[in-house]
């Protein structure tokens, strides 16, 4: 990836520093950083690398260089002060010059600010969301959905073609259980349920049909558990119940496996039913995806790869890559002399069937062939780290040099705060909260707040604001911390209008919009930006100027949280400016116009950041 663009003021500074020190610009650009305290200046340059060639101590090099640069006529118009501080040289840039350099291109770029076409031709495949059709859509999937969608937008902003894939878990014996439950359900009732609830209904079917099996397992565990002291008679009761349940559960399992086997063999009726379950699930999920602003380029799930598996297995056998081991066909992952042996990658199980892993192997190869990706990313929680390590190693063993372009973008786990307790994302009776319900609950909380704070707003607008802020609060919360951290979701704190939250940033954006609205539509095209000389103004401009670099760092580290952190700090700078300086009542019309341009740029920059994270930016709240 190319180096981040710098504004013209910084370019000049780097050019002059390079002339004075004989160090390349790129190196100097990497050395310049904000000093520990804002009072010290805008940039600090450590002088260690400069001192060496001059045969000086860094402190002395800083003093001499300061004296030299003070005489440079090119720096006069753009730098206010150059001060040595120990081994460092601190620069303060002229705020007017900075504003004049940064604001016009930002306002001209508008929605495209910070973007580029540097990624053209380098396709990024992002596997994200990827829930399982028979199991609940849990918060892990929500995190994957939010993070993956942001990465897709971030890479797109940098010019990359992006293929977002929802790798649905739609294949496996669970399908057989669902078919069986469906066949046993009331025909008209089941249609209504499937249309309305999609994945949630299928999960219920799965849970229901598995009930005898589940009870059986837990009773058996109880009998075997030495720590459980059974009351007299209880053992007899338990054994009796087990004897009752066992044939029922076995019969269900037999039928379910049989149905799945038929599906695998291509039974046309089951295939149609499978397609229907898939489509209905996706349709219902899409309602939530729409609220999150998420759309996929591909929804090829596990079942999609079924036809590729046999030919793949044949090919690997022929190429001598697959080995038989304890009844399975595997790709050994350990090197012959490795001490700590890695478990092999299992491609075919003892009973001859394939696995999640097999389908991932086929999917990676398919993606390379179809999209010729530059990077193939998997946004999946940290519990699957070993799976992906194995997958990438197996691809390498298959001789695919592009295995190095595959990456597991893992993230931590999320818990939820309910009152004083911290729970996994489940509710009453251990049931997972369906995604739609989770969003609704947050939106409901915000609706109350809007009602209280802004009772005069028309009801539809209240709804719109509540939806934007409620959903935005969840999306922002998930991305506000490094993705590796474990998150505790806090309903109340997530909506704190003064916290490091989505609503805080949204309020800041709405405030900027409101200033512009009060002024009217006309903002002069070319105000005299050199009038912006206050430190609060300079701070806003510097924050906005950081954005293109933040965007690149977010892409490089697969870290949307960098954008979120930037949004909070840019908003803090903006609010500080707003609290200390008058815009509409500025001392002169010319200064007012310059400040309006600054407000407009802040509005654009913040809206841009929010949109990249999938958070809407209402103009009024
Ligand atoms: N369906 C899986 C799960 O819920 C996640 C799939 C991730 N993607 C992949 N290609 N393995 O755990």
């Amino acid at each position: 990836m190319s180096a981040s663009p710098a504004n013209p003021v910084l370019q000049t500074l780097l050019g002059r520093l390079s002339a004075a020190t004989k160090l390349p610009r790129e190196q100097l650009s990497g050395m310049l950083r904000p000093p520990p305290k804002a009072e010290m200046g805008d940039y600090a340059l450590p002088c260690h690398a400069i001192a060496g060639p001059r045969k000086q101590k860094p402190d002395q090099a800083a003093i001499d260089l300061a004296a030299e640069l003070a005489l440079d006529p090119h720096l006069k118009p753009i730098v206010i002060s150059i001060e040595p501080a120990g081994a460092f040289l601190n620069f303060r840039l002229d705020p007017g010059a900075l504003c004049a350099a940064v604001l016009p291109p930002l306002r001209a770029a508008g929605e495209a600010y910070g973007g580029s076409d540097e990624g053209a031709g380098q396709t990024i495949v992002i596997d994200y969301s990827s829930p399982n059709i028979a199991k609940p859509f849990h918060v892990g999937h929500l995190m994957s959905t939010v993070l993956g969608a942001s990465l897709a937008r971030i890479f797109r902003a940098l010019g990359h073609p992006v293929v977002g894939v929802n790798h649905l878990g739609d294949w496996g014996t669970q399908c057989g259980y669902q078919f069986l439950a469906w066949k046993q359900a009331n025909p008209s009732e089941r249609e209504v349920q499937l249309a309305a609830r999609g994945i949630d209904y299928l999960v219920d079917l799965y849970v229901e049909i598995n009930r005898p099996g589940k009870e059986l397992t837990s009773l058996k565990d109880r009998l075997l558990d030495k720590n459980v002291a059974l009351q007299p008679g209880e053992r007899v009761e338990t054994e009796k119940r087990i004897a009752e349940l066992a044939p029922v559960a076995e019969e269900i399992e037999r039928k379910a496996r049989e149905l799945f086997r038929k599906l695998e063999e291509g039974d046309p009726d089951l295939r149609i039913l499978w397609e229907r379950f898939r489509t209905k699930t996706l349709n219902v999920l899409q309602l939530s995806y729409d609220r999150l602003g998420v759309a996929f380029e591909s929804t090829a799930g596990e079942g999609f790869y079924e036809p590729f598996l046999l030919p793949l297995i044949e090919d690997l056998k022929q190429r001598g890559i697959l080995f038989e081991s304890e009844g399975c066909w595997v790709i050994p992952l350990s090197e012959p002399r490795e001490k700590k042996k890695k478990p092999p990658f299992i491609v075919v199980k003892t009973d001859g069937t394939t696995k999640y892993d097999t389908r991932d192997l086929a999917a990676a190869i398919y993606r390379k062939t179809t999209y010729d990706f530059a990077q193939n990313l998997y946004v999946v929680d940290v519990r699957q780290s070993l799976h992906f390590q194995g997958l990438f190693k197996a691809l390498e063993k298959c001789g695919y040099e592009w295995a190095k372009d595959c990456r597991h973008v893992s993230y931590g786990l999320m818990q939820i705060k309910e009152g004083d307790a911290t729970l996994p994302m489940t509710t009453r009776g251990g049931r997972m909260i369906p995604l739609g319900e989770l969003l609704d609950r947050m939106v409901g909380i915000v609706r109350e707040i809007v009602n209280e704070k802004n009772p005069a707003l028309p009801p539809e607008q209240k709804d719109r604001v509540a939806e934007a802020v409620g959903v935005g609060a969840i999306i922002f919360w998930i991305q506000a911390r490094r993705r590796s951290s474990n998150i505790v979701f806090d309903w109340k704190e997530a909506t704190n209008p003064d916290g490091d939250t989505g609503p805080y940033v949204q309020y800041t954006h709405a405030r900027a919009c409101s200033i512009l609205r009060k002024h009217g539509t006309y903002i002069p095209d070319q105000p005299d930006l050199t009038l912006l000389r206050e430190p609060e103004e300079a701070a806003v401009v510097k924050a906005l100027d950081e954005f293109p670099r933040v965007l690149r760092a977010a892409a490089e580290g697969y870290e949307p949280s960098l954008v979120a952190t930037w949004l909070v700090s840019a908003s803090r700078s903006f609010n500080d400016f707003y609290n200390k300086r008058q815009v509409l009542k500025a001392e002169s019309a010319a200064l007012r116009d310059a400040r309006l341009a600054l407000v407009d740029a802040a509005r654009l920059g913040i809206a841009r950041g929010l949109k990249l994270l999938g958070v809407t930016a209402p103009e009024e709240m």
Side-chain angles (χ1 to χ4, degrees), residues 127 129-132 138 141 167-169 302 356 360 367 378-380 384 387-388:
D127 178 319
S129 193
S130 310
N132 302 318
H138 59 70
H141 297 121
H167 186 81
L168 277 187
E302 290 186 42
Y356 174 64
D360 254 335
R367 287 172 195 172
Y378 296 86
V379 187
V380 183
Q384 294 197 31
H387 165 69
F388 286 107

Side-chain angles (χ1 to χ4, degrees), residues 48 76 91 104 123 149 160 162 219 248 273 281 320 361 368 447 449 473 483 496 527 549 555 574 578 590 610:
H48 310 83
K76 279 251 150 61
F91 298 87
T123 301
H160 291 272
V162 173
L219 289 179
V248 180
L273 192 56
T281 296
L361 199 62
K368 184 64 192 178
R447 185 69 163 73
I449 303 176
R483 61 180 159 79
N496 181 353
R549 279 178 288 282
F574 180 81
Y578 174 82
L610 282 173

Side-chain angles (χ1 to χ4, degrees), residues 412-425:
L413 307 178
M414 178 150 142
Q415 292 186 307
I416 185 165
K417 213 168 151 192
E418 295 282 3
D420 290 335
T422 301
L423 309 166
M425 272 271 190

Side-chain angles (χ1 to χ4, degrees), residues 387-400:
H387 165 69
F388 286 107
Q389 275 170 31
L391 174 65
F392 303 157
K393 190 87 194 150
L395 286 166
E396 194 188 304
K397 293 280 177 193
C398 294
Y400 299 117

Side-chain angles (χ1 to χ4, degrees), residues 193-266:
Q193 292 278 355
L194 182 64
R197 297 173 54 226
I199 195 168
D200 296 333
Y201 178 56
L202 293 178
V203 170
D204 286 354
L205 283 185
Y206 182 73
V207 170
E208 203 45 52
I209 197 93
N210 268 305
R211 208 177 285 284
K214 257 214 135 131
E215 193 187 336
L216 185 67
T217 320
S218 80
L219 289 179
K220 280 184 178 164
D221 286 351
R222 210 174 139 73
L223 274 191
L224 292 175
D225 192 342
K226 295 200 179 62
N227 299 322
V228 178
L230 292 173
Q231 299 295 321
E234 213 183 332
R235 174 169 293 275
V236 182
E237 275 304 307
T238 310
E239 276 165 357
K240 210 174 112 203
R241 181 81 184 128
I242 289 179
E244 261 167 38
L245 280 172
V248 180
E250 269 159 33
E251 182 63 3
I252 290 173
E253 187 182 336
R254 196 187 54 74
K255 283 187 179 154
R257 285 192 183 277
E258 174 64 17
L259 283 168
F260 179 60
R261 200 180 50 74
K262 275 189 164 167
L263 174 71
E264 274 193 303
E265 285 166 9

